[in-house]
Amino acid sequence: MRVVIQENYEKMSLWAAHYIAAKINGHKEDRPFVLGLPTGSSPIGVYKELARMNKAGEVSFANVVTFNMDEYVGLPHEHDQSYWYFMHDNFFNHLVDMKPENINILNGMAEDPEAECAAYEAKIASYGGIDLFMGGIGVDGHLAFNEPFTSLSSRTGLRALTTDTRIVNSRFFGNDPEKVPAYALSVGIGTVTDSKEVLVLINGHNKARALAKCVEGGVSQKWTASALQMHNGAIIACDEEACGELTVDTYKYFLDIEKAERL
């Protein structure tokens, strides 16, 4: 696992955006570059920088296919808290050459959620898998909507959301947890870790315990993002605030490794 520590959220976002752009620009295969994407507050800075780079001609999305991590069950596309809406409002609408047909987001209004999830997995496989999956984690270390104790080999499926998750997300629903959908469709931990690379963004003091558990703790279903320890292409990009519960030796180790990489 690689842990890239940046001074603040802005620098973390810039680092991650430029890393993703370099991967897209360096993609030489005949097939499209397949990019997994998250929602939430953590990736917004990355999306802004990628959009700027796209408009400046520094990176093209003309040959990029995207798959989003998750979607609430019961929210139509036009709902301002659907993840379809979030992605278009914060990212896709700001790209000059993203093809709508290359955007893949789970349908939270699907009549048959199981069939929707199976088709999503099949479509990912049809592209040869995901090249890079960017993600974020919750304060309890969950990745996508794979709440604590979700199987680490799970695939895309229907997920029940915990009370804690609904409380955290209620800030987008008038601070009323009851208005937050109780279910979501989500890629599985196995879906994410099948990707060639996984880049997880962790920022803020409230994520410090989760970062420490995912980096220094054992691999555990309680902290589903800890599965990244078993992935050869896993990167965590974090800010200083998120490092508050790492041991001093761990913190210094990853700073030294990154310094050596730059030499």
Side-chain angles (χ1 to χ4, degrees):
M1 176 187 287
R2 181 181 178 188
V3 178
V4 179
I5 302 169
Q6 296 292 305
E7 181 180 354
N8 52 41
Y9 173 79
E10 290 74 21
K11 290 184 178 179
M12 179 199 77
S13 299
L14 288 174
W15 186 92
H18 285 255
Y19 184 87
I20 292 169
K23 290 294 178 176
I24 294 172
N25 289 336
H27 184 69
K28 304 301 182 184
E29 298 181 33
D30 292 336
R31 68 179 184 85
F33 185 87
V34 185
L35 178 64
L37 297 173
T39 54
S41 56
S42 294
I44 288 178
V46 177
Y47 290 150
K48 286 182 178 178
E49 177 63 8
L50 284 173
R52 184 203 66 77
M53 296 178 75
N54 178 244
K55 290 173 182 174
E58 297 170 22
V59 64
S60 171
F61 282 81
N63 195 38
V64 175
V65 171
T66 65
F67 285 88
N68 259 78
M69 277 191 157
D70 39 36
E71 179 59 281
Y72 285 119
V73 169
L75 296 189
H77 289 170
E78 61 271 15
H79 192 289
D80 64 3
Q81 293 306 320
S82 77
Y83 289 157
W84 189 98
Y85 186 99
F86 175 98
M87 289 304 303
H88 286 78
D89 189 47
N90 287 284
F91 190 43
F92 296 137
N93 291 347
H94 303 281
L95 300 176
V96 299
D97 58 359
M98 185 75 208
K99 299 173 183 175
E101 63 269 23
N102 286 345
I103 297 170
N104 296 279
I105 302 175
L106 286 156
N107 179 11
M109 299 296 289
E111 291 185 10
D112 187 340
E114 290 186 3
E116 171 70 10
C117 292
Y120 206 67
E121 285 276 345
K123 193 166 187 182
I124 291 173
S126 74
Y127 283 102
I130 292 174
D131 293 296
L132 188 154
F133 217 134
M134 178 171 67
I137 68 169
V139 295
D140 58 3
H142 73 254
L143 183 61
F145 272 128
N146 296 290
E147 303 279 29
F149 303 106
T150 301
S151 169
L152 299 184
S153 61
S154 58
R155 312 305 302 187
T156 304
L158 181 67
R159 305 285 192 266
L161 306 188
T162 65
T163 298
D164 284 348
T165 293
R166 296 179 75 193
I167 289 172
V168 169
N169 289 2
S170 68
R171 66 190 189 277
F172 303 115
F173 291 84
N175 293 312
D176 184 355
E178 291 301 314
K179 292 182 179 178
V180 181
Y183 294 91
L185 303 182
S186 175
V187 297
I189 294 297
T191 312
V192 174
T193 55
D194 274 354
S195 307
K196 294 180 180 68
E197 290 188 276
V198 183
L199 170 59
V200 172
L201 310 172
I202 305 179
N203 63 284
H205 176 73
N206 65 328
K207 302 285 180 70
R209 184 169 181 240
L211 174 61
K213 290 290 185 180
C214 292
V215 173
E216 296 180 330
V219 177
S220 169
Q221 288 177 289
K222 185 175 181 180
W223 302 86
T224 55
S226 68
L228 297 176
Q229 293 180 30
M230 305 295 290
H231 195 293
N232 286 330
I235 303 172
I236 291 177
C238 59
D239 64 5
E240 289 279 357
E241 287 189 1
C243 295
E245 295 200 20
L246 291 176
T247 61
V248 173
D249 284 348
T250 298
Y251 174 80
K252 288 183 176 179
Y253 169 81
F254 284 114
L255 285 179
D256 286 345
I257 290 295
E258 287 304 310
K259 187 184 298 181
E261 289 286 335
R262 289 193 296 268
L263 296 178

